[in-house]
Coordinates of all heavy atoms in Angstrom, one line a residue:
M898 N 6.7 5.5 14.3 CA 5.5 4.6 14.4 C 5.9 3.5 15.2 O 6.9 2.9 15.2 CB 5.2 4.2 12.9 CG 3.8 3.7 12.9 SD 3.5 2.8 11.2 CE 3.8 4.3 10.2
I899 N 4.9 3.1 16.2 CA 5.4 2.0 17.1 C 4.4 0.8 16.9 O 3.1 1.1 16.9 CB 5.3 2.5 18.5 CG1 6.3 3.5 18.7 CG2 5.5 1.3 19.6 CD1 6.2 4.3 20.0
F900 N 4.9 -0.3 16.7 CA 4.0 -1.5 16.7 C 4.2 -2.3 17.9 O 5.2 -2.6 18.3 CB 4.5 -2.4 15.5 CG 4.1 -1.8 14.2 CD1 5.1 -1.6 13.2 CD2 2.8 -1.7 13.8 CE1 4.8 -1.2 11.9 CE2 2.5 -1.2 12.6 CZ 3.5 -0.9 11.6
K901 N 3.0 -2.5 18.6 CA 3.1 -3.4 19.8 C 2.8 -4.8 19.3 O 1.8 -5.2 18.9 CB 2.1 -2.9 20.9 CG 2.4 -1.7 21.5 CD 1.5 -1.4 22.7 CE 1.9 -0.2 23.5 NZ 0.9 0.2 24.5
R902 N 3.9 -5.6 19.4 CA 3.8 -6.9 18.9 C 3.5 -8.0 20.0 O 4.3 -8.0 20.9 CB 5.1 -7.3 18.1 CG 5.2 -6.5 16.8 CD 6.5 -6.9 16.2 NE 7.0 -5.8 15.3 CZ 7.2 -6.1 13.9 NH1 7.3 -7.3 13.6 NH2 7.6 -5.1 13.2
K903 N 2.5 -8.8 19.8 CA 2.4 -9.8 20.6 C 3.1 -11.0 20.0 O 3.5 -11.0 18.7 CB 0.8 -10.1 20.8 CG 0.2 -9.3 21.8 CD -1.3 -9.6 21.9 CE -2.1 -8.6 21.2 NZ -3.5 -9.1 21.0
K904 N 3.2 -12.1 20.7 CA 4.0 -13.2 20.1 C 3.0 -13.7 19.1 O 1.9 -13.8 19.2 CB 4.2 -14.2 21.3 CG 5.4 -15.0 21.1 CD 5.6 -16.0 22.3 CE 6.9 -16.8 22.1 NZ 7.0 -17.7 23.2
D905 N 3.8 -14.1 18.0 CA 3.1 -14.7 16.8 C 2.2 -13.8 16.0 O 1.5 -14.3 15.2 CB 2.3 -16.0 17.3 CG 3.1 -17.1 17.9 OD1 4.4 -17.2 17.4 OD2 2.6 -17.7 18.8
E906 N 2.2 -12.5 16.4 CA 1.4 -11.6 15.6 C 2.1 -11.3 14.3 O 3.3 -11.1 14.3 CB 1.3 -10.3 16.4 CG 0.1 -9.5 16.0 CD -0.2 -8.4 17.0 OE1 0.8 -7.6 17.2 OE2 -1.3 -8.1 17.3
V907 N 1.4 -11.3 13.3 CA 1.9 -11.1 12.0 C 1.6 -9.7 11.3 O 0.5 -9.4 11.4 CB 1.6 -12.2 10.9 CG1 2.2 -12.1 9.5 CG2 1.9 -13.6 11.6
I908 N 2.6 -9.0 10.9 CA 2.3 -7.7 10.2 C 2.4 -8.0 8.8 O 3.4 -8.4 8.2 CB 3.4 -6.7 10.7 CG1 3.6 -6.5 12.2 CG2 3.1 -5.4 10.1 CD1 2.7 -5.7 12.9
I909 N 1.3 -7.6 8.0 CA 1.3 -7.8 6.6 C 1.4 -6.4 6.0 O 0.6 -5.4 6.3 CB -0.1 -8.4 6.2 CG1 -0.1 -9.8 6.9 CG2 -0.2 -8.4 4.7 CD1 -1.5 -10.4 6.6
P910 N 2.4 -6.2 5.2 CA 2.5 -5.0 4.4 C 1.5 -4.7 3.3 O 1.3 -5.6 2.5 CB 3.9 -5.0 3.9 CG 4.3 -6.4 3.7 CD 3.4 -7.2 4.7
Y911 N 1.0 -3.5 3.3 CA 0.0 -3.2 2.2 C 0.6 -1.8 1.5 O 1.4 -1.1 2.0 CB -1.2 -2.8 2.7 CG -2.2 -4.0 3.3 CD1 -2.0 -4.4 4.6 CD2 -2.9 -4.7 2.4 CE1 -2.8 -5.5 5.0 CE2 -3.6 -5.7 2.7 CZ -3.5 -6.1 4.0 OH -4.3 -7.3 4.4
T912 N 0.2 -1.7 0.3 CA 0.5 -0.5 -0.5 C -0.7 0.2 -0.9 O -1.7 -0.4 -1.3 CB 1.2 -1.1 -1.8 OG1 2.4 -1.8 -1.5 CG2 1.6 0.1 -2.8
L913 N -0.7 1.5 -0.8 CA -1.8 2.4 -1.1 C -1.5 3.1 -2.4 O -0.4 3.8 -2.5 CB -2.1 3.2 0.0 CG -3.6 3.7 0.2 CD1 -4.3 2.7 0.7 CD2 -3.6 4.8 1.3
E914 N -2.3 2.9 -3.4 CA -2.1 3.6 -4.7 C -3.2 4.7 -4.9 O -4.3 4.5 -4.5 CB -2.2 2.7 -5.9 CG -1.1 1.7 -5.9 CD -1.4 0.7 -7.0 OE1 -2.2 1.0 -7.9 OE2 -0.7 -0.3 -7.1
Q915 N -2.8 5.9 -5.5 CA -3.8 6.9 -5.8 C -3.6 7.4 -7.1 O -2.5 7.5 -7.7 CB -3.5 8.1 -4.8 CG -4.7 9.1 -4.8 CD -4.7 10.1 -3.7 OE1 -3.7 10.3 -3.2 NE2 -5.8 10.7 -3.4
C916 N -4.7 7.7 -7.8 CA -4.8 8.1 -9.1 C -4.4 9.7 -9.1 O -4.9 10.4 -8.4 CB -6.2 8.0 -9.7 SG -6.2 8.6 -11.4
N917 N -3.5 10.0 -10.1 CA -3.1 11.4 -10.2 C -4.2 12.4 -10.7 O -4.2 13.5 -10.7 CB -1.8 11.5 -10.9 CG -0.7 10.9 -10.3 OD1 -0.6 10.9 -9.0 ND2 0.3 10.2 -11.0
S918 N -5.1 11.7 -11.4 CA -6.2 12.5 -12.2 C -7.4 12.6 -11.3 O -7.9 13.7 -11.1 CB -6.4 11.9 -13.5 OG -5.3 11.7 -14.3
C919 N -8.0 11.5 -10.9 CA -9.3 11.4 -10.3 C -9.2 11.2 -8.7 O -10.2 11.1 -8.0 CB -10.3 10.5 -10.9 SG -10.0 8.8 -10.5
N920 N -7.9 11.0 -8.2 CA -7.7 10.7 -6.9 C -8.3 9.4 -6.3 O -8.4 9.4 -5.1 CB -8.1 12.0 -6.0 CG -7.2 13.2 -6.3 OD1 -6.1 13.0 -6.4 ND2 -7.8 14.3 -6.3
A921 N -8.7 8.5 -7.2 CA -9.2 7.2 -6.7 C -8.1 6.5 -5.9 O -6.9 6.6 -6.3 CB -9.6 6.4 -7.9
I922 N -8.5 5.9 -4.8 CA -7.4 5.2 -4.0 C -7.8 3.7 -4.1 O -8.8 3.2 -4.1 CB -7.5 5.7 -2.5 CG1 -7.1 7.1 -2.5 CG2 -6.7 4.8 -1.6 CD1 -7.3 7.8 -1.2
S923 N -6.6 3.0 -4.2 CA -6.8 1.5 -4.1 C -5.7 1.0 -3.2 O -4.6 1.3 -3.1 CB -6.7 0.8 -5.5 OG -5.4 0.4 -5.8
K924 N -6.1 -0.1 -2.4 CA -5.3 -0.7 -1.5 C -5.0 -2.1 -1.9 O -6.0 -2.8 -2.2 CB -5.9 -0.6 -0.2 CG -5.2 -1.3 1.0 CD -6.0 -1.3 2.2 CE -5.6 -2.3 3.2 NZ -6.5 -2.4 4.4
R925 N -3.8 -2.5 -1.8 CA -3.5 -4.0 -2.3 C -2.3 -4.4 -1.4 O -1.7 -3.6 -0.6 CB -3.2 -4.1 -3.7 CG -2.0 -3.2 -4.2 CD -1.6 -3.5 -5.5 NE -0.5 -2.6 -6.0 CZ 0.7 -2.7 -5.7 NH1 1.2 -3.5 -4.8 NH2 1.5 -1.8 -6.1
K926 N -2.1 -5.7 -1.4 CA -0.9 -6.2 -0.7 C 0.4 -5.7 -1.3 O 0.4 -5.6 -2.5 CB -1.0 -7.7 -0.6 CG -2.0 -8.2 0.4 CD -1.7 -9.7 0.7 CE -2.7 -10.2 1.7 NZ -2.7 -11.6 1.8
F927 N 1.4 -5.5 -0.5 CA 2.6 -5.0 -0.9 C 3.3 -6.0 -1.7 O 3.2 -7.2 -1.6 CB 3.5 -4.8 0.4 CG 4.9 -4.4 0.0 CD1 5.3 -3.1 -0.3 CD2 5.9 -5.4 0.0 CE1 6.6 -2.7 -0.5 CE2 7.2 -5.0 -0.2 CZ 7.6 -3.7 -0.5
K928 N 4.0 -5.5 -2.9 CA 4.7 -6.4 -3.8 C 6.1 -6.1 -3.8 O 6.5 -4.9 -3.6 CB 4.2 -6.2 -5.2 CG 3.0 -7.1 -5.7 CD 2.8 -7.2 -7.1 CE 2.4 -5.8 -7.6 NZ 1.8 -5.7 -8.9
E929 N 7.0 -6.9 -4.0 CA 8.4 -6.7 -4.0 C 8.7 -5.6 -5.1 O 8.2 -5.6 -6.1 CB 9.1 -8.0 -4.4 CG 10.7 -8.0 -4.1 CD 10.8 -8.1 -2.6 OE1 10.2 -8.8 -1.8 OE2 11.8 -7.3 -2.1
G930 N 9.6 -4.5 -4.7 CA 9.8 -3.6 -5.7 C 8.9 -2.3 -5.5 O 9.2 -1.3 -6.1
D931 N 7.9 -2.4 -4.6 CA 7.1 -1.2 -4.4 C 7.9 -0.1 -3.6 O 8.6 -0.5 -2.7 CB 5.8 -1.5 -3.6 CG 4.9 -2.2 -4.5 OD1 5.0 -2.3 -5.7 OD2 3.8 -2.7 -4.0
Y932 N 7.7 1.0 -3.9 CA 8.2 2.2 -3.1 C 7.3 3.4 -3.3 O 6.6 3.5 -4.3 CB 9.6 2.5 -3.5 CG 9.9 2.9 -4.9 CD1 9.8 4.1 -5.4 CD2 10.2 1.9 -5.8 CE1 10.0 4.5 -6.7 CE2 10.4 2.2 -7.2 CZ 10.3 3.5 -7.6 OH 10.6 3.8 -8.9
V933 N 7.2 4.4 -2.4 CA 6.4 5.6 -2.4 C 6.9 6.4 -3.7 O 8.1 6.5 -3.9 CB 6.6 6.3 -1.1 CG1 5.7 7.7 -1.2 CG2 6.1 5.5 0.1
F934 N 5.8 6.9 -4.4 CA 5.9 7.8 -5.5 C 6.2 6.9 -6.7 O 6.3 7.6 -7.9 CB 7.0 8.9 -5.4 CG 6.8 9.8 -4.3 CD1 7.7 10.0 -3.4 CD2 5.6 10.4 -4.0 CE1 7.6 10.8 -2.3 CE2 5.4 11.3 -3.0 CZ 6.3 11.6 -2.0
K935 N 6.3 5.7 -6.8 CA 6.5 4.8 -7.9 C 5.3 4.9 -8.7 O 4.1 4.8 -8.2 CB 6.8 3.4 -7.4 CG 7.0 2.5 -8.7 CD 7.1 1.0 -8.2 CE 7.4 0.1 -9.3 NZ 7.4 -1.3 -8.8
N936 N 5.4 5.0 -10.1 CA 4.1 5.0 -11.0 C 3.8 3.5 -11.1 O 4.6 2.7 -11.4 CB 4.4 5.5 -12.3 CG 4.5 7.1 -12.2 OD1 4.0 7.7 -11.3 ND2 5.2 7.6 -13.1
T937 N 2.5 3.2 -11.0 CA 2.1 1.9 -11.2 C 1.1 1.7 -12.3 O 1.4 2.1 -13.3 CB 1.4 1.3 -9.8 OG1 0.4 2.3 -9.5 CG2 2.5 1.3 -8.7
E938 N 0.0 1.2 -12.0 CA -1.0 0.7 -13.1 C -1.7 2.1 -13.5 O -1.6 3.1 -12.9 CB -2.0 -0.2 -12.6 CG -1.4 -1.6 -12.4 CD -2.1 -2.4 -11.3 OE1 -3.4 -2.2 -11.2 OE2 -1.4 -3.1 -10.6
T939 N -2.5 1.9 -14.7 CA -3.4 3.0 -15.1 C -4.7 2.8 -14.3 O -5.1 1.7 -14.0 CB -3.7 3.0 -16.5 OG1 -4.0 1.6 -16.9 CG2 -2.5 3.5 -17.4
C940 N -5.4 3.9 -14.0 CA -6.6 3.8 -13.2 C -7.7 3.2 -13.9 O -7.8 3.4 -15.2 CB -7.0 5.4 -12.9 SG -8.6 5.6 -12.1
S941 N -8.5 2.4 -13.2 CA -9.5 1.7 -13.8 C -10.8 2.5 -14.2 O -11.5 2.1 -15.0 CB -9.9 0.5 -12.9 OG -10.3 0.9 -11.7
S942 N -10.9 3.7 -13.5 CA -12.1 4.5 -13.9 C -11.8 5.6 -14.8 O -12.6 6.0 -15.7 CB -12.6 5.0 -12.6 OG -11.7 5.5 -11.7
C943 N -10.5 6.2 -14.8 CA -10.3 7.4 -15.7 C -9.1 7.2 -16.6 O -8.7 8.0 -17.4 CB -10.1 8.7 -14.9 SG -8.6 8.8 -14.2
K944 N -8.4 6.0 -16.5 CA -7.2 5.7 -17.4 C -6.0 6.6 -17.0 O -5.1 6.6 -17.7 CB -7.5 5.7 -18.8 CG -8.7 4.9 -19.2 CD -8.4 3.4 -19.0 CE -9.8 2.6 -19.4 NZ -9.8 1.2 -18.8
G945 N -6.2 7.3 -15.9 CA -5.0 8.1 -15.5 C -3.9 7.3 -14.8 O -4.0 6.2 -14.7
Q946 N -2.8 8.0 -14.5 CA -1.6 7.3 -14.1 C -1.9 7.1 -12.5 O -2.1 8.2 -11.9 CB -0.3 8.2 -14.4 CG 0.9 7.5 -13.8 CD 1.2 6.1 -14.4 OE1 1.5 6.0 -15.4 NE2 1.3 5.2 -13.4
M947 N -1.6 6.0 -12.0 CA -1.6 5.8 -10.5 C -0.3 5.7 -10.1 O 0.7 5.3 -10.7 CB -2.5 4.5 -10.2 CG -3.9 4.6 -10.6 SD -4.9 3.3 -9.9 CE -5.2 3.9 -8.2
S948 N -0.1 6.2 -8.8 CA 1.3 6.1 -8.1 C 1.0 5.7 -6.7 O 0.0 5.9 -6.1 CB 2.1 7.3 -8.3 OG 1.4 8.4 -7.7
I949 N 2.1 5.1 -6.2 CA 2.1 4.7 -4.7 C 2.2 5.9 -3.8 O 3.1 6.7 -4.0 CB 3.1 3.7 -4.5 CG1 2.8 2.4 -5.3 CG2 3.3 3.3 -3.0 CD1 4.0 1.5 -5.3
T950 N 1.3 6.0 -2.8 CA 1.3 7.2 -2.0 C 1.7 6.7 -0.5 O 2.2 7.5 0.2 CB -0.1 7.9 -1.8 OG1 -1.0 6.9 -1.5 CG2 -0.4 8.5 -3.2
K951 N 1.6 5.5 -0.2 CA 1.8 5.1 1.1 C 2.0 3.5 1.2 O 1.4 2.8 0.5 CB 0.6 5.4 2.0 CG 0.9 5.3 3.6 CD -0.5 5.7 4.3 CE -0.3 5.4 5.7 NZ -1.6 5.7 6.3
I952 N 3.0 3.1 2.1 CA 3.3 1.7 2.3 C 3.1 1.5 3.7 O 3.8 2.3 4.5 CB 4.6 1.2 1.7 CG1 4.6 1.3 0.3 CG2 4.9 -0.1 2.2 CD1 5.9 1.1 -0.4
F953 N 2.4 0.6 4.3 CA 2.1 0.5 5.7 C 1.9 -0.9 6.1 O 1.6 -1.8 5.2 CB 1.0 1.4 6.2 CG -0.4 1.0 5.5 CD1 -1.3 0.2 6.2 CD2 -0.6 1.3 4.2 CE1 -2.5 -0.1 5.6 CE2 -1.8 1.1 3.6 CZ -2.8 0.3 4.3
G954 N 2.0 -1.2 7.4 CA 1.7 -2.5 7.8 C 0.5 -2.6 8.7 O 0.1 -1.7 9.4
E955 N -0.2 -3.8 8.5 CA -1.4 -4.1 9.5 C -1.2 -5.4 10.0 O -0.7 -6.4 9.3 CB -2.7 -4.1 8.5 CG -3.2 -2.6 8.3 CD -4.5 -2.6 7.5 OE1 -5.0 -3.7 7.2 OE2 -5.0 -1.5 7.2
T956 N -1.8 -5.7 11.1 CA -1.7 -6.9 11.8 C -2.8 -7.9 11.2 O -3.9 -7.3 11.0 CB -1.8 -6.8 13.3 OG1 -3.1 -6.2 13.5 CG2 -0.7 -6.1 13.9
S957 N -2.5 -9.0 10.9 CA -3.4 -10.0 10.5 C -4.3 -10.4 11.6 O -3.9 -10.5 12.7 CB -2.8 -11.0 9.6 OG -2.1 -11.9 10.6
T958 N -5.6 -10.8 11.2 CA -6.4 -11.3 12.4 C -6.8 -12.7 12.1 O -6.8 -13.2 11.0 CB -7.6 -10.4 12.4 OG1 -8.2 -10.2 11.2 CG2 -7.3 -9.1 13.1
Ligands
ZN972 ZN1 -8.5 7.9 -12.1

């Protein structure tokens, strides 16, 4: 993965979580201690277990 960085461009890390039961996806800002496959919160729609599927960076605008 290649990031083309301009001067003063800020990359903000995000965490993508997915529910193991209903596959709902939620995106939030990365928190310290996050890693892929980590179990996180319970799903707000089905109370299933959510886990982190992806951690990625986006440039802020
Ligand atoms: Zn769910």
Side-chain angles (χ1 to χ4, degrees):
M898 202 189 300
I899 297 165
F900 289 117
K901 280 188 180 173
R902 286 173 203 240
K903 278 180 257 164
K904 214 178 180 184
D905 299 328
E906 201 171 49
V907 180
I908 310 273
I909 299 177
Y911 284 95
T912 299
L913 211 67
E914 294 176 10
Q915 190 167 22
C916 175
N917 294 326
S918 304
C919 74
N920 294 321
I922 290 171
S923 92
K924 175 185 159 186
R925 58 169 173 79
K926 281 195 177 167
F927 175 82
K928 271 191 301 199
E929 201 66 43
D931 281 355
Y932 57 88
V933 176
F934 301 129
K935 180 186 182 182
N936 287 339
T937 56
E938 294 150 32
T939 48
C940 176
S941 52
S942 42
C943 79
K944 310 291 178 200
Q946 177 64 60
M947 298 195 77
S948 60
I949 294 171
T950 55
K951 194 179 174 186
I952 291 167
F953 61 100
E955 274 183 7
T956 52
S957 71
T958 46

